[in-house]
Amino acid sequence: LFADDPAWLDKLHYAITAPPNNLTNWRETQAFESWCRTQPENGKVALRRLWDEGIPVARRMDTFAEAVAPSGRPARIAETSFFHMAMDPCAFPIYRSTPVDKALDLTGYPTSQEVGVRSGELGRRYEHFLTFLDIMIKRAANGGLELRDRLDAQSAAWMVTQWPPLEHWLDTDKQAFSAYQGQGSLIR
């Protein structure tokens, strides 16, 4: 994209559609790709803004959203963070609302709304998430667990919020874990 290689659209298509991409809603990412194909110069502007290392993360995301707005559909945080992840997935993992909200709830960390961030402020919501991941890394290290980077922290949060108890666990541990997740007992 930065070299004005016309193959950038094919690479964008591959990133969106190639297995095992299960990180994004294909309807949203394909709509973005279609917009980029019909208005490639606008698509380039949006992605260049998102990948501009010279500006802070929150501003990058917000300027991307501003550039995408004329497409007639708002930028969503999962989609925006998916494309932003191209910069460095270990530093900038994807933001998915359901696991993030649940992780914040389970840990008692304030939601972005509780600290005054509106849902349309993609950049501030994402920065709030990154701060949470940084705190997870620090607290895990204090407890003797090494999380190498934000992607490790995000993966741990997703595992705790989305996965069922492991089969080989004791029934009491399964019940305690399910109760912690707010699902009640998964033991039948």
Side-chain angles (χ1 to χ4, degrees):
L1 180 114
F2 286 103
D4 288 322
D5 181 344
W8 77 270
L9 283 166
D10 296 329
K11 291 182 180 187
L12 177 68
H13 175 77
Y14 180 79
I16 291 169
T17 61
N21 177 11
N22 62 356
L23 298 174
T24 58
N25 179 315
W26 63 271
R27 288 176 188 92
E28 291 178 15
T29 50
Q30 283 185 339
F32 177 76
E33 178 191 0
S34 294
W35 177 70
C36 287
R37 287 197 182 276
T38 60
Q39 298 185 33
E41 291 308 311
N42 291 337
K44 284 182 190 179
V45 166
L47 289 169
R48 283 182 176 140
R49 287 180 179 181
L50 186 62
W51 297 331
D52 183 347
E53 294 182 49
I55 58 176
V57 173
R59 187 73 191 125
R60 286 197 298 257
M61 295 193 123
D62 291 341
T63 59
F64 173 82
E66 291 164 8
V68 170
S71 73
R73 49 181 281 300
R76 302 200 194 309
I77 195 160
E79 172 189 83
T80 304
S81 66
F82 172 76
F83 294 124
H84 187 260
M85 188 173 61
M87 293 184 72
D88 181 352
C90 293
F92 306 115
I94 193 167
Y95 181 115
R96 296 284 304 268
S97 294
T98 300
V100 169
D101 291 347
K102 190 162 189 176
L104 298 178
D105 181 51
L106 290 174
T107 60
Y109 192 76
T111 65
S112 53
Q113 292 84 5
E114 290 171 341
V115 295
V117 178
R118 294 185 306 272
S119 64
E121 296 178 288
L122 299 186
R124 287 186 61 208
R125 282 178 66 200
Y126 190 72
E127 277 190 336
H128 184 73
F129 168 61
L130 295 179
T131 300
F132 171 73
L133 295 177
D134 292 342
I135 290 169
M136 270 187 71
I137 292 166
K138 184 183 241 180
R139 289 191 179 168
N142 291 342
L145 174 65
E146 179 190 357
L147 297 175
R148 295 170 297 191
D149 49 45
R150 290 171 174 163
L151 183 59
D152 265 4
Q154 178 251 29
S155 298
W158 280 24
M159 188 176 85
V160 169
T161 62
Q162 304 295 298
W163 289 17
L166 299 177
E167 286 299 317
H168 68 276
W169 289 1
L170 297 173
D171 285 349
T172 55
D173 292 338
K174 289 179 184 179
Q175 290 173 338
F177 185 72
S178 295
Y180 175 72
Q181 287 180 314
Q183 298 175 3
S185 176
L186 294 178
I187 306 296
R188 301 208 194 291

